Amino acid sequence: MRILVSTGPSYGLYCPVVPLAWALRAAGHDVLVAAPESLAPMANGSGLPFIPTYGPMHMREVMAHDRQGNPIAFAREEPQMLEQAGRGFGRLAARTLPGLLDVTEKWKPDVILAEPHTYAAGVVAQVKGIPWIEHGVGLGYFREMDKSGADELTPELSELGLGALPEPDLALEPCPASLLPSGGRHGVPMRYVQYDPPATVPSWVFDERTRPRLLLTLGTVAPAAGGARVLRDLVNSLPALGVELLVAVADDVVPELGPLPDAVLAAGFLPLASVLPSCDLVVHHCGGGSTMAAILAGLPQLLVPQPIVAEQYDSARRVTAYGSARQMVEQPIDPDAVVENCRALLEDDSYRVKAEALRAEVAAMPSPAAVVPLVEELAGARPGR
């Protein structure tokens, strides 16, 4: 069986799909990753073959510019942010659609596997009569953004004889039931398995410690879009808690943080799956990967969504309502308020109890390997096979 995996050129979109791709290869199937050329280092580093569907590009470029290349002013209110995100993913699909069609025609996959934002994958699957699987990337997201995505993609859909974005033949849902959004489409449960880019596990992960350890991250998008100042303020405020501080950020952002306090144990790229089990608390932007990594580690979380990725606000509300996290939505972020919220999360054991229950819930979900037979059955359902 041949499985074509397609995502955008983003760590947050690609990494969640890797464990199932590994499981499919381990079962003896051929897997090929098809995405814009900028994803090549990440895909190659994950041990999977890669073919480009478009030249070099960055998600910021397609999100921040219209089709004519004109800059787009970022919205600050949630509904408008969702619309802008959907249109951005629509523009991404418009760029990659010809290349993905070409790869599909030449390689002839039996199944296409894609995360929800890769609209081109569903379109190509529909046009070529191939079943396709939607692979969730974390806590799910507002389906409302698909409406604006389809509107942005209207010229391409019309040219191919489609009136709407196609529905998947199978949807896989890594979000635990306790955190699922109300309404919308919920797929077959599948355990989220953390995948980090290749990295060496720091030796201090296993050292005994006498102070609580806190990890701070705002992901890869926010720091590159001006969030380094927020990080710098928090790096200088959080040591007041008497903690060891880890700052997970792209290596090239570290110099922007200025002189680091003595409390900072490490700053730069950190493999979350290996580092988080040694922590007591996570402060982050509620990106899908960071949130799920903290859930897998059974950690309380302070969620500070940034006004860049719209889904973060909805995800933060659900984790907070569950009881394993606190949420801050005020902008700009007040570093003193962050310190006080962290103090409450460390001192009130109820947050950790709920976090550990959530980790157990995820551990009981079917593994990616257990889902492989569903993919095989879907491929066998093709006419003539």
Side-chain angles (χ1 to χ4, degrees), residues 196-197 199 202 204 215-216 246-249 251 266-275:
D196 293 320
W204 47 255
L215 184 137
L216 168 66
L246 309 179
V247 186
V249 67
D251 291 336
F269 173 77
L270 296 171
L272 295 185
S274 300
V275 169

Side-chain angles (χ1 to χ4, degrees), residues 211-215 234-247 259-267:
R211 294 184 291 169
R213 182 173 292 166
L214 186 155
L215 184 137
L234 295 179
V235 165
N236 286 288
S237 300
L238 287 169
L241 289 165
V243 298
E244 290 181 348
L245 183 60
L246 309 179
V247 186
L260 299 176
D262 292 339
V264 176
L265 178 61

Side-chain angles (χ1 to χ4, degrees), residues 3-353:
I3 302 97
L4 185 65
V5 176
S6 187
T7 76
S10 162
Y11 288 10
L13 300 180
Y14 176 68
C15 289
V17 185
V18 172
L20 179 57
W22 281 348
L24 288 161
R25 288 200 76 183
H29 301 300
D30 294 330
V31 176
L32 178 64
V33 178
E37 188 176 325
S38 303
L39 191 70
M42 169 65 74
N44 293 333
S46 71
L48 297 172
F50 174 84
I51 188 168
T53 58
Y54 191 82
M57 64 169 290
H58 194 283
M59 286 298 298
R60 287 198 305 274
E61 174 197 349
V62 76
M63 289 292 176
H65 298 84
D66 63 21
R67 291 201 183 208
Q68 288 71 46
N70 301 311
I72 298 172
F74 279 111
R76 294 297 177 180
E77 298 298 324
E78 196 170 343
Q80 290 74 33
M81 290 171 65
L82 287 166
E83 178 183 355
Q84 282 191 349
R87 288 193 172 277
F89 285 118
R91 290 190 291 275
L92 174 65
R95 291 192 187 188
T96 59
L97 191 54
L100 191 58
L101 273 168
D102 183 61
V103 170
T104 302
E105 289 170 356
K106 293 176 179 177
W107 197 60
K108 297 179 172 52
D110 299 295
V111 177
I112 294 180
L113 173 67
E115 45 77 31
H117 303 85
T118 306
Y119 300 144
V123 171
V124 170
Q126 179 79 8
V127 170
K128 295 300 180 181
I130 303 169
W132 78 282
I133 301 169
E134 180 186 87
H135 189 305
V137 294
L139 296 186
Y141 72 110
F142 276 140
R143 294 286 168 183
E144 283 83 349
M145 76 165 59
D146 292 349
K147 299 173 184 176
S148 51
D151 184 61
E152 181 72 35
L153 199 56
T154 294
E156 288 77 14
L157 293 174
S158 299
E159 184 177 346
L160 294 170
L162 301 179
L165 294 173
E167 295 288 318
D169 296 279
L170 173 66
L172 301 176
E173 182 57 78
C175 179
S178 295
L179 298 181
L180 282 171
S182 59
R185 180 174 66 236
H186 297 152
V188 174
M190 184 185 73
R191 185 191 318 153
Y192 186 93
V193 176
Q194 182 73 18
Y195 169 74
D196 293 320
T200 300
V201 179
S203 60
W204 47 255
V205 165
F206 306 108
D207 291 343
E208 292 187 10
R209 51 194 173 87
T210 58
R211 294 184 291 169
R213 182 173 292 166
L214 186 155
L215 184 137
L216 168 66
T217 182
L218 294 182
T220 57
V221 177
R229 180 193 59 78
V230 176
L231 271 175
R232 185 169 59 248
D233 291 344
L234 295 179
V235 165
N236 286 288
S237 300
L238 287 169
L241 289 165
V243 298
E244 290 181 348
L245 183 60
L246 309 179
V247 186
V249 67
D251 291 336
D252 59 0
V253 176
V254 174
E256 299 182 44
L257 303 181
L260 299 176
D262 292 339
V264 176
L265 178 61
F269 173 77
L270 296 171
L272 295 185
S274 300
V275 169
L276 282 178
S278 75
C279 297
D280 299 284
L281 176 64
V282 187
V283 178
H284 65 96
H285 58 304
C286 207
S290 301
T291 306
M292 292 303 297
I295 289 172
L296 292 181
L299 296 179
Q301 307 176 51
L302 178 60
L303 309 173
V304 285
Q306 299 299 287
I308 297 174
V309 183
E311 307 101 293
Q312 293 174 0
Y313 291 95
D314 178 57
S315 297
R317 285 192 292 266
R318 283 184 274 139
V319 182
T320 301
Y322 175 80
S324 61
R326 285 191 168 207
Q327 175 187 8
M328 293 180 60
V329 296
E330 298 80 8
Q331 294 292 337
I333 293 173
D334 180 356
D336 292 336
V338 170
V339 170
E340 291 310 308
N341 275 283
C342 287
R343 194 184 311 278
L345 286 162
L346 289 170
E347 294 178 352
D348 186 343
D349 198 49
S350 66
Y351 294 103
R352 176 168 291 279
V353 170

